[in-house]
Amino acid sequence: ERQLKQLLGYRSKNINLFKTALNHRSVKESVAENNERLEFLGDAVLGAVVAEYLFKKYPYKDEGFLTEMTSKMVNRQQLNHIGVQMGLRKLTRYNKLDGGLKTSQIFGNTLEALLGAIYIEKKYEFTRNWVVKKMIQPFLFMDELEQIDINIKNKIIGWALKQGKQIDFILAEEKQEGRRRLFTIN
């Protein structure tokens, strides 16, 4: 509880809510006892907070820029990194015998579940401020993120145009990972 209070910055009145947020389905299969529903809610709240943050920070940037910056800020890998840095590797309850889970993205998912729990307990304004203070300011450096080019496909198309080459993309595989669709292109 002390570690949780330190992470949250306050003492929760609903410790069971946060215990649920920290339970991965590998230790609690029941929907009522694992963090998947809270992760769903936290993902939506985080999306709203990041959208509002970017909207205010970049008043003259277009929708494409804002969408790309959102992707850079809240992708699985980024959230997992932030979750680990915040100490969620120690706080998350998961099946430690499953070696694959240690290297998966469960700590980013737990972070979203934690946001869902904070939102339920403290509502939007508090959660927004928490995300800015505890996630964006210490971990997401806008100047660096602006420089990262995540759209490899557009880079390839741009190169091909400059070289006078034609590129055809062939869909090799499409799969669902959580709520995201992943495409493999040849």
Side-chain angles (χ1 to χ4, degrees):
E1 276 188 49
R2 194 180 87 251
Q3 288 175 311
L4 181 63
K5 180 183 182 264
Q6 188 176 346
L7 174 64
L8 295 176
Y10 71 93
R11 182 176 301 282
S12 171
K13 291 182 175 82
N14 189 350
I15 200 68
N16 286 333
L17 176 66
F18 287 92
K19 283 182 179 178
T20 301
L22 296 170
N23 284 335
H24 184 259
R25 80 166 171 256
S26 64
V27 293
K28 297 286 185 181
E29 284 189 33
S30 160
V31 171
E33 295 178 306
N34 73 38
N35 65 8
E36 289 182 337
R37 286 174 46 83
L38 286 169
E39 177 192 344
F40 168 79
L41 180 60
D43 177 58
V45 172
L46 180 60
V49 169
V50 167
E52 179 185 359
Y53 178 84
L54 292 172
F55 185 82
K56 289 177 178 175
K57 180 166 181 61
Y58 298 103
Y60 303 106
K61 295 290 189 173
D62 66 10
E63 179 196 9
F65 173 86
L66 298 173
T67 299
E68 190 169 324
M69 284 297 288
T70 300
S71 296
K72 293 175 187 180
M73 291 173 72
V74 297
N75 65 59
R76 290 281 123 224
Q77 190 176 348
Q78 185 77 269
L79 291 179
N80 198 61
H81 172 74
I82 293 170
V84 168
Q85 294 299 310
M86 290 177 133
L88 290 178
R89 189 183 300 267
K90 290 178 186 164
L91 290 173
T92 303
R93 289 187 285 280
Y94 64 99
N95 179 355
K96 291 175 177 59
L97 299 176
D98 184 341
L101 285 179
K102 288 179 187 168
T103 58
S104 74
Q105 308 296 323
I106 67 168
F107 308 110
N109 297 343
T110 301
L111 177 56
E112 288 180 329
L114 194 65
L115 288 174
I118 293 169
Y119 173 76
I120 287 172
E121 185 171 68
K122 295 285 195 174
K123 306 302 175 234
Y124 182 78
E125 288 295 316
F126 183 93
T127 307
R128 182 187 70 206
N129 293 334
W130 192 93
V131 167
V132 171
K133 191 171 118 190
K134 299 274 192 171
M135 290 176 64
I136 295 175
Q137 289 173 349
F139 299 110
L140 297 168
F141 306 108
M142 295 299 121
D143 293 344
E144 290 176 20
L145 288 174
E146 282 182 51
Q147 302 309 312
I148 297 171
D149 191 351
I150 59 170
N151 195 332
I152 303 299
K153 185 178 168 191
N154 281 352
K155 246 183 168 173
I156 292 169
I157 291 169
W159 172 85
L161 287 171
K162 285 180 187 169
Q163 302 298 318
K165 310 237 183 241
Q166 180 180 340
I167 295 204
D168 295 319
F169 293 98
I170 300 164
L171 181 62
E173 181 186 7
E174 179 180 341
K175 65 181 179 180
Q176 196 78 17
E177 184 181 279
R179 292 182 292 281
R180 294 176 42 189
R181 291 187 336 181
L182 298 178
F183 302 97
T184 304
I185 296 175
N186 292 332

